[in-house]
Amino acid sequence: MIRITDTLAIDDGEIAERFVRASGPGGQNVNKVATAVQLRFDVHASSLPSEVKTRLISLSGSRMTTEGVLVIDAREHRTQAQNREAARARLVELIEHATRRPKKRRATRPGRAAKEERLSLKKRRGEIKATRGRTHSDE
């Protein structure tokens, strides 16, 4: 079980991990050992509450496949275990972020002073622009 919050946890069976060869520095180790982790989490089939699922789908962006599978790729460390922990930590962080409800926006209106300030700035800018250009001589 992976604990997300005090009341929310996901089962290890809901996560599929695949180890692939990583690119980048590491010498022969890169060519021999599959250290990069590709973590896959099926959001639609998970045990998460429905509102958390919808927020998670919108938060994940390009990491979400068309089938609703969240794919997290971790290859920053040289060992499988460290990459695995990094991928799981990113998943937990993303789900944790999805559990927080966004604040509802309250519509507000600008005050009288703000309106007057905006209009005076517009007036001043217009006067500056009006003085540009050719001058007319009375000769």
Side-chain angles (χ1 to χ4, degrees):
M1 292 290 273
I2 299 172
R3 186 159 286 316
I4 309 297
T5 62
D6 294 335
T7 58
L8 189 65
I10 55 174
D11 190 35
D12 288 331
E14 295 181 29
I15 296 173
E17 293 171 331
R18 205 174 92 201
F19 298 98
V20 293
R21 286 194 201 140
S23 60
Q28 275 188 328
N29 193 53
V30 171
N31 301 328
K32 295 188 299 184
V33 185
T35 55
V37 178
Q38 193 178 60
L39 185 139
R40 299 173 77 78
F41 179 68
D42 191 352
V43 177
H44 296 300
S46 69
S47 60
L48 296 173
S50 60
E51 67 177 33
V52 174
K53 286 180 188 181
T54 55
R55 279 198 292 268
L56 183 61
I57 289 168
S58 65
L59 278 173
S60 57
S62 64
R63 291 175 287 204
M64 186 70 65
T65 64
T66 53
E67 296 86 36
V69 177
L70 176 66
V71 179
I72 296 176
D73 210 39
R75 55 182 68 219
E76 56 264 6
H77 302 288
R78 286 188 63 172
T79 64
Q80 237 182 36
Q82 285 178 315
N83 282 331
R84 187 179 194 194
E85 287 304 313
R88 286 177 177 232
R90 274 195 261 162
L91 175 68
V92 167
E93 185 182 324
L94 199 61
I95 295 173
E96 227 173 48
H97 189 65
T99 57
R100 290 185 228 122
R101 275 199 190 108
K103 288 183 182 175
K104 287 197 173 181
R105 186 190 179 280
R106 273 189 294 164
T108 58
R109 288 201 168 129
R112 184 187 301 154
K115 285 180 185 175
E116 288 173 4
E117 176 71 19
R118 184 180 65 83
L119 290 174
S120 68
L121 286 173
K122 283 179 68 143
K123 185 92 170 152
R124 200 174 318 141
R125 192 75 190 140
E127 289 168 356
I128 290 169
K129 288 184 176 187
T131 59
R132 293 182 187 156
R134 292 200 170 101
T135 57
H136 301 290
S137 61
D138 291 337
E139 293 178 18

